[in-house]
Amino acid sequence: MDQAGTPGTSGFGDVVLEVDDLVTTFRTPDGVAPAVDGVSFEVRAGETLGVVGESGCGKSVTALSILGLVPSPPGCVERGTALLGDRDLLALPERTLADVRGNEIAMIFQEPMTSLNPVLTVGYQIAETVRRHDGGTRPGAMRRAVEMLDLVGIPEAQRRAREYPHQLSGGMRQRAMIAMALSCEPKVLIADEPTTALDVTIQAQVLDLIRELQGRLGTAVILITHDLGVIAETAHRVVVMYAGRKVEEADVTTLFDAPRHPYTRGLLASVPTLDALRDGAAGERRLAEIPGVVPKLTGLPDGCAFAPRCPLADGRCASTRPAFEEQRPGHSAACWHAHTAREAAREAGQ
Amino acid sequence: MTGAAPPAGVGPVLEVDGLRKYFVSPRRLLGPQAGVVHAVDGVSFTIEARETLGLVGESGCGKSTVGRTVLRLLKPTDGTIRLLGDDITRLESRALRPYRRRMQIIFQDPYSSLDPRMTAGDIAGELLGVHGVSSRAERHERVAELFSRVGLRRDQIGNYPHEFSGGQRQRLGIARALSLQPSLIVCDEPVSALDVSIQAQVINLLMDLQAEYGLSYLFIAHDLAVVEHISHRVAVMYLGRIVEFADKRELFANPLHPYTESLLDAVPVPDPRRVRRRRIVRGDVPSPIDRPSGCHFHTRCPYAVERCRHEDPALREVAPGHRVACHLR
Ligand SMILES: Nc1ncnc2c1ncn2[C@@H]1O[C@H](COP(=O)(O)OP(=O)(O)OP(=O)(O)O)[C@@H](O)[C@H]1O
Ligand SMILES: Nc1ncnc2c1ncn2[C@@H]1O[C@H](COP(=O)(O)OP(=O)(O)O)[C@@H](O)[C@H]1O
Ligand code: SF4
Ligand code: SF4
Ligand SMILES: [Mg+2]
Ligand SMILES: [Mg+2]
């Protein structure tokens, strides 16, 4: 894998999508839940931005907000901008935005049936996406659909194109959805847990496929996942979210080598790794736990949302929310004790 | 909890020999012809007291069916199952009952495996009632003990499942499974639905309980790193059969079956500096109705030779305790 050099900028093209201060809330019986609270990031052509965090931390709502797909009510995009080129997606009328979706920005989901129509053949659905994109003829679009199915590694693409989604295996459906998402050669691909439901063998195939197509088309990819292994293998830069907020951002090597936020450090310590044994290290070590549970969004503490679970929390953490600040070039975190966290990590033998 | 009984006997807690479980699949409209699903096709293993046997393999390869058949939730097609030395393969309801107490299951989905209309305390204590092991007052005391042992608060006894987080629901499922002091627990993807930080809590709890009560686990999971962490020995299944079986250190450090090798290679490692060396298998698992001839893995195996197409490799011991089914090893 390539080593990302200077964090954030090297080796990639221009900024394609720039999200700034996104706030999305949901009205719930317990009050207003800030599902996404002031999230900002950018992604460049050819770059993969990983977004990681536990369930409910706002990863999917971030993606849905950018695409104008937040169900409203109960949801509401309250604030922020999402610049694609010089257009703000959050300000576009729905009709224009519908054109942008599946054209300049495409999305793939964990569950392929959310984007595949069960009563239409796979080939027809991809062909329609192609036609909407380039306005070409039906037979031409069908040929392109078969090409795309072939490209994503579906055997006998010609025959499979005439089949319905339920006739494909789970892995093939996922690949068909990727074929559809990429058939319009989007500038940005948002993949929300694209491999979570798949076996590791199929996951490896799908991730390789996304990477390969990204290399060929220069697509900017936003990869949302809770799997740190997938992040390490796929992302160039990583955003860590907790309770609707961005708590850390760095290039992938820095994030894994020198995490500054106690939550990131807790996550990294809590996953068992195959390497422990392969490298002859102790396999019997007790997994580090992050105590407690993810807080309810309607009752977040005034200060740092992670304070109730954080080993470093003190009075200031409980009362005042830490700002998201640059710790060193290209590496930011929202923590009063980001410095201490670094020292602790070093002592732990980094 | 008192009297936590590691099995008194000497032999293994569970001995499974030549187990088969076939399903007859109805003719589907557009699918293949009606046929026999060879979900489990001649599987043998033992589990000792205080031992965890990990069971891995791709979706549909028969892991859950092994677990459910061993527990006699499904009727075995062939083979024998011995629990604590006794043959339970063909026992029917009444005769099976004392054995049911000795073996329990924990499921993947803490959301759907708990009755939403029962309180947490009733869920944890239900089996005690069913098996008539204690008076109401004793039961209450026992449930309270179980709650604190698995890390739930006693004041949560009256709560309903929807009032618990995913990790807490899994703890509740564990409390219920523990209530009758079983010897064996089948854990079917017990942490797959949980968040990373909560996964670690549940894995640690399961390991602590094993040490404390001498439990044996059949631990089914698709996450190989989790299996590596918790297991003592590991069996790799492909299309209803065990293709490799070894001590976990041996299996992960020195995988011999090409399928094990590609499974391990496919696991993404949370270390961005690691150079990937992938021998990814192509395509999907073939249908368990219409399995490839010879070695079932030959359609995806990078090393397949002509012989593999028509000759079925036997599971052979190639090093002490390390068994593998491949012509080339
Ligand atoms: N009741 C049933 N009737 C027919 N076929 C069944 C039945 N239960 C399981 N099967 C089939 O048996 C095979 C093995 O299924 P099983 O659930 O044991 O797989 P698994 O290894 O647990 O998979 P997963 O990882 O997806 O949980 C599959 O092909 C499945 O479709
Ligand atoms: N349609 C909805 N109605 C109400 N709340 C929602 C809805 N969708 C998401 N949420 C809430 O928004 C928060 C963030 O959810 P989500 O972005 O889906 O998390 P994840 O990081 O797991 O993708 C959660 O608290 C979730 O319950
Ligand atoms: S601000 Fe305080 S509570 Fe929050 S992560 Fe940092 S040390 Fe922990
Ligand atoms: S027997 Fe042949 S096809 Fe089967 S795993 Fe070994 S080499 Fe591959
Ligand atoms: Mg999500
Ligand atoms: Mg299963």
Side-chain angles (χ1 to χ4, degrees):
Chain A
M1 267 194 78
D2 53 353
Q3 299 284 326
T6 324
T9 51
S10 74
F12 302 108
D14 296 335
V15 172
V16 193
L17 178 70
E18 187 177 354
V19 174
D20 190 44
D21 197 24
L22 178 68
V23 176
T24 302
T25 58
F26 285 96
R27 245 174 292 136
T28 77
D30 297 334
V32 173
V36 178
D37 191 7
V39 166
S40 308
F41 58 81
E42 55 181 41
V43 56
R44 293 167 180 271
E47 181 189 33
T48 298
L49 175 70
V51 180
V52 67
E54 293 177 87
S55 68
C57 73
K59 305 182 296 294
S60 297
V61 172
T62 300
L64 295 174
S65 304
I66 295 168
L67 292 164
L69 295 175
V70 172
S72 170
C76 174
V77 178
E78 310 252 5
R79 201 166 77 204
T81 53
L83 292 178
L84 181 72
D86 51 9
R87 281 172 308 168
D88 178 7
L89 300 178
L90 304 187
L92 289 184
E94 168 55 27
R95 188 176 309 177
T96 324
L97 195 55
D99 272 348
V100 173
R101 280 197 302 265
N103 207 342
E104 285 157 89
I105 300 195
M107 180 146 179
I108 55 186
F109 301 91
Q110 173 172 343
E111 174 41 64
M113 293 314 287
T114 46
S115 39
L116 293 173
N117 185 329
V119 300
L120 300 172
T121 66
V122 173
Y124 179 85
Q125 296 183 57
I126 299 174
E128 281 306 292
T129 310
V130 172
R131 252 158 50 83
R132 238 188 305 133
H133 174 60
D134 68 8
T137 65
R138 213 160 245 170
M142 200 51 159
R143 272 196 302 279
R144 177 98 182 107
V146 173
E147 265 172 45
M148 286 307 296
L149 287 174
D150 193 48
L151 190 68
V152 298
I154 292 185
E156 303 175 79
Q158 191 80 44
R159 176 169 72 82
R160 292 297 185 179
R162 291 194 300 268
E163 294 191 338
Y164 294 87
H166 76 266
Q167 291 171 273
L168 308 184
S169 71
M172 273 197 257
R173 275 202 289 266
Q174 202 70 14
R175 275 173 275 175
M177 180 169 60
I178 294 173
M180 186 154 92
L182 293 176
S183 61
C184 55
E185 305 190 353
K187 292 199 186 95
V188 182
L189 175 69
I190 303 181
D192 188 358
E193 307 269 4
T195 58
T196 301
L198 304 176
D199 278 314
V200 285
T201 48
I202 312 297
Q203 165 169 285
Q205 296 173 24
V206 168
L207 293 178
D208 280 359
L209 173 69
I210 293 177
R211 204 174 1 237
E212 186 191 315
L213 295 173
Q214 174 182 47
R216 190 175 323 168
L217 303 172
T219 316
V221 175
I222 299 175
L223 183 84
I224 297 173
T225 176
H226 66 275
D227 186 327
L228 291 159
V230 170
I231 288 281
E233 275 201 355
T234 318
H236 302 107
R237 208 153 39 82
V238 187
V239 161
V240 182
M241 287 183 69
Y242 189 77
R245 296 174 194 155
K246 191 164 80 160
V247 296
E248 185 155 12
E249 176 172 352
D251 71 87
V252 68
T253 328
T254 306
L255 189 93
F256 281 79
D257 281 359
R260 287 287 180 91
H261 198 284
Y263 176 62
T264 312
R265 292 175 48 221
L267 275 186
L268 289 171
S270 66
V271 286
T273 68
L274 282 181
D275 265 9
L277 255 192
R278 281 198 191 174
D279 299 348
E284 320 292 348
R285 91 193 147 90
R286 203 179 158 77
L287 293 175
E289 295 178 15
I290 300 179
V293 296
V294 179
K296 253 178 82 168
L297 291 177
T298 43
L300 287 181
D302 288 338
C304 174
F306 190 56
R309 306 175 74 189
C310 181
L312 300 179
D314 59 17
R316 177 166 56 156
C317 302
S319 61
T320 320
R321 180 174 155 188
F324 188 78
E325 282 176 341
E326 191 154 76
Q327 307 291 324
R328 58 176 205 101
H331 187 176
S332 306
C335 171
W336 292 121
H337 296 297
H339 219 69
T340 322
R342 183 184 56 177
E343 253 109 63
R346 192 178 293 143
E347 272 160 31
Q350 294 271 339
Chain B
M1 201 153 57
T2 52
V10 265
V13 170
L14 181 72
E15 295 161 87
V16 173
D17 191 31
L19 187 69
R20 286 172 215 280
K21 177 63 193 175
Y22 297 166
F23 298 101
V24 178
S25 137
R27 190 183 304 266
R28 275 182 295 147
L29 203 57
L30 298 149
Q33 295 295 298
V36 175
V37 181
H38 300 84
V40 177
D41 194 22
V43 161
S44 305
F45 59 87
T46 57
I47 304 182
E48 308 289 332
R50 300 174 184 276
E51 187 188 34
T52 300
L53 175 66
L55 196 53
V56 300
E58 286 164 286
S59 182
C61 69
K63 306 179 296 295
S64 298
T65 307
V66 168
R68 295 166 56 82
T69 312
V70 160
L71 293 177
R72 290 291 322 271
L73 299 171
L74 292 170
K75 215 182 167 82
T77 307
D78 195 16
T80 55
I81 304 161
R82 287 174 178 277
L83 184 70
L84 300 165
D86 297 339
D87 188 340
I88 61 162
T89 322
R90 322 242 156 248
L91 296 185
E92 288 310 334
S93 49
R94 185 180 295 268
L96 195 56
R97 243 179 110 142
Y99 296 97
R100 288 230 183 273
R101 289 183 54 182
R102 315 297 309 171
M103 45 186 194
Q104 294 295 327
I105 185 162
I106 303 168
F107 294 102
Q108 164 173 7
D109 186 357
Y111 298 84
S112 61
S113 61
L114 303 173
D115 186 336
R117 292 153 307 178
M118 285 169 71
T119 65
D122 287 344
I123 290 171
E126 187 185 14
L127 299 173
L128 293 169
V130 170
H131 287 268
V133 283
S134 49
S135 70
R136 187 173 277 274
E138 279 169 354
R139 210 182 306 158
H140 192 81
E141 189 41 45
R142 185 97 172 85
V143 165
E145 273 173 47
L146 286 166
F147 263 56
S148 31
R149 186 58 199 89
V150 301
L152 293 170
R153 293 193 318 273
R154 288 181 183 218
D155 63 83
Q156 291 174 305
I157 286 179
N159 291 5
Y160 289 89
H162 74 264
E163 297 171 82
F164 291 87
S165 70
Q168 289 174 327
R169 275 185 269 225
Q170 202 55 290
R171 289 176 195 272
L172 183 55
I174 294 170
R176 177 184 161 92
L178 281 180
S179 62
L180 292 166
Q181 304 179 0
S183 305
L184 171 73
I185 299 184
V186 173
C187 307
D188 195 350
E189 305 269 7
V191 296
S192 312
L194 303 177
D195 272 321
V196 181
S197 75
I198 309 299
Q199 250 186 32
Q201 297 174 3
V202 173
I203 292 170
N204 285 340
L205 174 63
L206 286 171
M207 292 176 85
D208 291 347
L209 293 171
Q210 175 166 60
E212 195 173 334
Y213 302 130
L215 296 168
S216 301
Y217 294 138
L218 176 60
F219 192 92
I220 300 170
H222 67 263
D223 184 332
L224 282 108
V226 168
V227 169
E228 185 264 355
H229 185 80
I230 202 170
S231 306
H232 299 103
R233 288 183 301 150
V234 177
V236 181
M237 281 187 79
Y238 191 70
L239 281 174
R241 298 196 181 160
I242 292 178
V243 297
E244 185 161 9
F245 198 126
D247 174 79
K248 78 138 169 241
R249 276 174 194 283
E250 173 76 6
L251 189 99
F252 286 93
N254 184 25
L256 290 180
H257 198 282
Y259 180 60
T260 313
E261 202 177 66
S262 36
L263 268 187
L264 289 178
D265 253 14
V267 176
V269 175
D271 175 2
R273 291 187 189 282
R274 193 186 172 84
V275 183
R276 288 181 315 129
R277 34 180 183 80
R278 267 197 184 154
R279 289 149 294 190
I280 300 176
V281 291
R282 292 279 125 210
D284 301 325
V285 188
S287 156
I289 299 179
D290 200 7
R291 296 169 302 174
S293 61
C295 173
H296 295 335
F297 188 54
H298 87 251
T299 51
R300 302 169 80 197
C301 179
Y303 310 107
V305 293
E306 184 53 31
R307 181 182 176 199
C308 306
R309 266 177 271 282
H310 31 256
E311 211 179 307
D312 198 356
L315 189 65
R316 290 175 302 117
E317 183 150 15
V318 292
H322 194 158
R323 285 180 276 161
V324 59
C326 171
H327 293 311
L328 304 188
R329 306 297 157 122

